[in-house]
Amino acid sequence: MVYLQSTAIRAVAWNAMTSTLDITFTSGATYSYHDVPQCEYFGLIIAPSPGQYFNKNIRDQYSSNRSYSDSRRATRP
């Protein structure tokens, strides 16, 4: 996990085995983005503005789902 100095993104992690990029936002929400190339991960962590990089290069470019910790797991009716 790499912690970023960003007003939008708290931390990111990239799994080389699955090409999954996990992004934890400053709101506390964590999303997993699928089939993300390693170059996008590196681009995000070295970007002068990680939030802008995310909006331009990752958001709406890769499929994603929200991840929940065990203590905050969403319940379904």
Side-chain angles (χ1 to χ4, degrees), residues 4 6-7 9 15-16 18-19 23 33 35-38 40 43-46 49 54 56 60 64-65 76:
L4 302 179
S6 170
T7 58
I9 299 172
N15 182 319
T18 62
S19 296
I23 300 178
Y33 292 84
D35 300 318
V36 178
Q38 187 177 29
E40 293 288 18
L44 180 62
I45 63 174
I46 67 168
S49 173
F54 166 78
K56 182 178 179 185
D60 299 329
S64 66
N65 63 289
R76 296 185 183 214

Side-chain angles (χ1 to χ4, degrees), residues 1-13:
M1 176 110 7
V2 175
Y3 292 89
L4 302 179
Q5 291 186 352
S6 170
T7 58
I9 299 172
R10 180 179 299 150
V12 297

Side-chain angles (χ1 to χ4, degrees), residues 11-71:
V12 297
W14 187 74
N15 182 319
M17 298 292 289
T18 62
S19 296
T20 300
L21 178 64
D22 293 327
I23 300 178
T24 301
F25 294 92
T26 55
S27 67
T30 299
Y31 286 81
S32 295
Y33 292 84
H34 308 287
D35 300 318
V36 178
Q38 187 177 29
C39 63
E40 293 288 18
Y41 166 67
F42 286 133
L44 180 62
I45 63 174
I46 67 168
S49 173
Q52 287 180 353
Y53 186 93
F54 166 78
N55 285 331
K56 182 178 179 185
N57 298 290
I58 298 170
R59 182 181 185 181
D60 299 329
Q61 303 299 317
Y62 301 96
S63 64
S64 66
N65 63 289
R66 184 168 180 172
S67 302
Y68 295 92
S69 67
D70 289 339
S71 63

